[in-house]
Amino acid sequence: MINYIQVDILCTVIVIIVYFFTKGENKIISNAQKALRNLIFSEIILCISDMTAYYYRGTHFLLSRAILYLSNSMYIEMILASSVFWFLYAVSKTETSLSKNTVRLLCIPFWVFTALMIVNVWTGIIFTIDSNNLYSRGSGVVIHWIASMIYMTGGVAVAFKKILSTQSPLQKAEYRPLLMYAVAPLVTSMIQMTSYGISSLTCGITISIVLITFSFQSNQIRLDELTGIKNRKSLRHYIEDHFDKGELTFFMMDLNRFKMINDVYGHYVGDLTLQAVAKSIRKTCGSFSEKLYFCRYGGDEFLIIGEDISETSAKKVEEALRKGVAEIVIDELKGTQLETSVGIAVGKCSNIQEYTALLEKADKSMYEDKQRLKAMRNS
């Protein structure tokens, strides 16, 4: 019994450390971060409930039966809850578009099972506690297994669909870790279902939370906090990895009249604008089969880099970037159409000096494009 409880204590300590490790100081968190934190909280409750149910099974005192019903109910409920939060995490992380009504609809199985769990004390459909205060599975536990599996595999399916739909190798690599999350919980749940009396699922979920968190933190170091795309630190690593590896095409772009947006509508709307532009760039780059790297270079400037792409392809990328930004609609801008300037430079990067020269060439080209567009507006 001691070893069994020690495993749950260890899992609890690990996920608590993971929570504080990922908490950070930023008060504004994304939907993916919210789902991950809820997943961590459900795992903590899961472990505590598992320990409690195991410790008090077969005991007899005034509240023993009530404690066993409550702990076992919370344990089973949190297994399903963790599957739901994982699914929502995968949806948010892959930026899969789901309406609020669709999310509510997808959560119906969870609420139906919750209702069954509430009346379980009287029906015994999910589990029963016999006269010896020992736990036994009910026939309705199959509903719990199926629902958990659906949410778990649903999260994997969302990630897999996103990987298939994007043409960008960089985005495929970003979403690939999500495919691995379900492996440990599915394996340990199968062990638990087939080997009655063994509780291994808490270990499986803990392993996956740690793996996802490490992947998340690794990405966060190289992600821009506001827009969620790569940052200058990531750019430096990318360039160093591509020294002497072929010809690179730089697309330097920024927003025209962005200062006006900040001055007239406020910095909050300016931030919304930058987030929308970053999302547009991600979508545009994902629509091409060529290897396109993109990052926020600074302020309202973004850098896209293509590897060994033709002049024709470069022109298509440029046009797609302009079109993507022009199609952005932000309610707070009250009809103001966004416009971007794009500068292109092509060359090899054998060292940091050549990279700097190529960057300056792209920046100069972008400035010339900005002047051209300004002249067109004033004519």
Side-chain angles (χ1 to χ4, degrees):
M1 182 177 71
I2 298 300
N3 290 335
Y4 183 98
I5 292 178
Q6 284 176 341
V7 169
D8 277 331
I9 291 174
L10 179 61
C11 290
T12 303
V13 171
I14 289 173
V15 292
I16 289 175
I17 292 173
V18 167
Y19 169 75
F20 284 104
F21 183 69
T22 58
K23 188 177 181 181
E25 298 180 356
N26 190 9
K27 295 181 179 180
I28 302 175
I29 61 175
S30 66
N31 289 330
Q33 288 172 295
K34 290 178 183 177
L36 180 60
R37 290 184 182 183
N38 288 334
L39 175 59
I40 290 173
F41 288 142
S42 64
E43 170 67 354
I44 292 171
I45 298 173
L46 179 67
C47 291
I48 294 173
S49 301
D50 192 29
M51 284 187 286
T52 304
Y54 188 87
Y55 185 81
Y56 287 108
R57 70 174 184 172
T59 60
H60 294 273
F61 57 94
L62 181 60
L63 296 176
S64 60
R65 193 170 184 81
I67 290 173
L68 285 168
Y69 264 109
L70 179 61
S71 58
N72 280 287
S73 296
M74 291 301 298
Y75 173 75
I76 296 172
E77 183 77 1
M78 286 303 105
I79 291 175
L80 185 55
S82 64
S83 300
V84 173
F85 291 134
W86 147 245
F87 173 76
L88 295 176
Y89 174 79
V91 168
S92 300
K93 198 66 177 174
T94 58
E95 298 180 343
T96 300
S97 179
L98 293 178
S99 67
K100 290 184 178 179
N101 288 333
T102 301
V103 172
R104 292 191 188 102
L105 188 64
L106 290 171
C107 288
I108 287 177
F110 172 77
W111 294 117
V112 169
F113 183 80
T114 300
L116 291 175
M117 183 59 71
I118 292 173
V119 300
N120 179 72
V121 177
W122 301 279
T123 64
I125 188 172
I126 308 300
F127 70 89
T128 57
I129 303 295
D130 63 20
S131 58
N132 294 317
N133 276 354
L134 297 176
Y135 168 94
S136 296
R137 292 172 182 167
S139 58
V141 77
V142 176
I143 300 173
H144 177 259
W145 291 343
I146 293 173
S148 297
M149 290 294 184
I150 288 174
Y151 285 119
M152 191 70 67
T153 54
V156 174
V158 165
F160 188 67
K161 181 180 179 182
K162 196 70 176 182
I163 289 173
L164 291 179
S165 64
T166 182
Q167 298 293 322
S168 170
L170 293 173
Q171 288 190 37
K172 289 180 185 290
E174 182 181 341
Y175 298 135
R176 204 167 288 131
L178 295 174
L179 298 178
M180 300 304 297
Y181 174 89
V183 174
L186 287 175
V187 171
T188 52
S189 65
M190 291 300 295
I191 294 173
Q192 187 163 318
M193 283 188 288
T194 55
S195 302
Y196 190 76
I198 294 178
S199 182
S200 57
L201 186 56
T202 53
C203 294
I205 296 175
T206 300
I207 290 170
S208 289
I209 287 176
V210 171
L211 291 176
I212 282 292
T213 302
F214 281 159
S215 173
F216 177 76
Q217 287 300 112
S218 177
N219 285 331
Q220 283 297 101
I221 294 172
R222 300 185 183 185
L223 292 182
D224 176 61
E225 186 175 12
L226 176 63
T227 62
I229 65 175
K230 297 292 192 297
N231 57 19
R232 290 278 286 271
K233 185 178 182 68
S234 167
L235 173 62
R236 180 172 62 83
H237 285 279
Y238 175 86
I239 291 300
E240 290 174 354
D241 288 341
H242 286 77
F243 281 163
D244 296 321
K245 287 188 178 179
E247 191 174 69
L248 298 178
T249 301
F250 280 25
F251 302 85
M252 179 67 81
M253 61 178 283
D254 77 349
L255 288 173
N256 296 331
R257 297 171 293 177
F258 180 68
K259 184 178 183 301
M260 180 273 292
I261 293 176
N262 278 329
D263 291 344
V264 175
Y265 300 102
H267 288 279
Y268 171 73
V269 177
D271 288 348
L272 288 179
T273 303
L274 291 175
Q275 290 170 343
V277 171
K279 188 174 182 179
S280 173
I281 292 172
R282 178 189 290 273
K283 182 179 179 181
T284 298
C285 292
S287 66
F288 286 90
S289 58
E290 286 84 1
K291 293 182 178 180
L292 295 174
Y293 169 90
F294 53 93
C295 71
R296 182 186 180 193
Y297 188 73
D300 62 324
E301 290 186 332
F302 298 86
L303 180 64
I304 299 91
I305 303 176
E307 301 177 33
D308 293 317
I309 64 175
S310 65
E311 185 177 344
T312 302
S313 295
K315 190 63 179 177
K316 289 180 179 179
V317 171
E318 178 191 357
E319 292 173 354
L321 289 169
R322 293 184 192 274
K323 182 181 178 182
V325 171
E327 291 177 347
I328 293 174
V329 176
I330 300 175
D331 293 338
E332 288 82 354
L333 288 179
K334 300 176 182 178
T336 301
Q337 186 176 31
L338 298 179
E339 180 187 77
T340 184
S341 296
V342 182
I344 302 177
V346 182
K348 290 188 176 182
C349 286
S350 301
N351 50 55
I352 197 68
Q353 288 77 21
E354 290 184 359
Y355 156 69
T356 302
L358 198 58
L359 196 63
E360 290 175 351
K361 185 178 179 182
D363 192 59
K364 181 180 178 182
S365 176
M366 181 190 70
Y367 179 76
E368 291 172 352
D369 186 54
K370 186 180 291 292
Q371 294 299 104
R372 178 183 65 83
L373 293 171
K374 184 178 180 180
M376 288 177 59
R377 287 195 301 271
N378 295 333
S379 62

